[in-house]
Amino acid sequence: MTQIITTHKNADFDAFASLVAATLIYPEAVAAIPKTMNPNVRAFMSIHKDLFNYVDRWSIETGKVTRLIVVDTADWSRLGPIAKLNKRGGLEVLVWDHHTGGDIDATWKCRESVGATITLLVRQLKSMRKLVTPIQATLFLAGLYEDTGNLSFSSCTAEDAYAAGWLLDRKADLALVSKFLRPAYGEKQRDVLAEMLKNDNRLKLNGYSVSISRIHIDGHVGNLALVVGMYRDIVNVDAAFGLFVSEEKNGRQKCMVIGRSDNEGLDVGSLMKSMGGGGHPGAGSAMLKGVNLEIAEQMIVDLIKGNQQSSVQISDLMSFPVFSVPPDTPMAEVAKVLRQQGCTGVPVVDDGMLVGIISRRDFKKIRKEDQLQAPVKAFMSNRAISIQPGKSPIQAARTMVRHDIGRLPVVEDGRIIGIITRSDVMMYFYDLLPD
């Protein structure tokens, strides 16, 4: 299995449709689905499972992969375990996406501001004169309609409409599309909506009318995006945000932020991107962990204002110049540096380029005293996790948690320009700066 096609976690219809369409364009590649899929997509897959060929992403042997085709996202963080291919040398990466931003440095990409990623793949299918079956056309139309609000969102383009017409011409079933796109609305959703209206906080920000509602939820409640959309319609504002807080098994809180906008000037997807999530101009979401509700709400307010704290980037928080050691530094000298600097690790830099990280835990590898005279390059971690200066503090925090590290070198064009620590990020989020 040398070529695989994949998409983002919590895949929606546009993601799954784009995945299937990509198998027609790249017939030699294997479609690998993420572990988490939207419930309505799962329902569609369970009924039509014999009609589509795919494997579970966690079963992929990444060591054999030479080409990775990514659809409906350009972010490594949204690819789950396959993201470890980020460090693979010689990997060919192809990206099909209609979102802005992303940190995948693709070998080749097709990224345009259309309403849905499937529109871009339909264009390619048309040019290749590929045969599309009625059920494939139905799936593709479901993805297109879901991401464009049945061609009603402001992000929808003429090409989306042309693609829809082409799919209908290939016998896409509108009744089936409607059935699977119709989200469930039951007692749980009704209770959440009532609670949101009760806790409605209406604001005027930067000329926009905005409503934000913060509520706690117990257990799983599906289709919260539908509830937020209804909430926005009822309170009749330019944009509405729901902050849904629940408790994890470890006792920590997590907050799902869902936003909906009906104003072209207020891009909810970009706002959520700044909070570590993503989306489209009219819809977006982000998952925050360990951040209290007041801070989450203030982040939204500040982002809409456009000139406040939430616009802070890593470059605003990092320390520089960076104290580092060259790769030939003896381990004994490194130990002395760590004691003198009072830090738990330092970057290893060769001619300005980051080549590794050495931390106190790496000293556990030393078994003999004479090894203290060995160069640091023999004990350092070659897999140096870094971050770019334009990233957000939330992205830095998530990277540190994911890799269990306390510091991130800030790298631009391969050269280290600063460093940010766990303390820097925590002081930013929790306002723990000394008086």
Side-chain angles (χ1 to χ4, degrees), residues 102-113:
D103 59 358
I104 295 180
D105 186 15
T107 313
W108 177 92
K109 58 188 174 184
C110 178
R111 299 187 69 188
E112 297 179 28
S113 296

Side-chain angles (χ1 to χ4, degrees), residues 226-248:
L226 168 68
V227 177
V228 176
M230 296 176 69
Y231 167 65
R232 196 211 67 79
D233 290 341
I234 292 171
V235 296
N236 192 26
V237 291
D238 292 321
F241 297 87
L243 279 62
F244 304 100
V245 179
S246 58
E247 194 168 287
E248 297 184 281

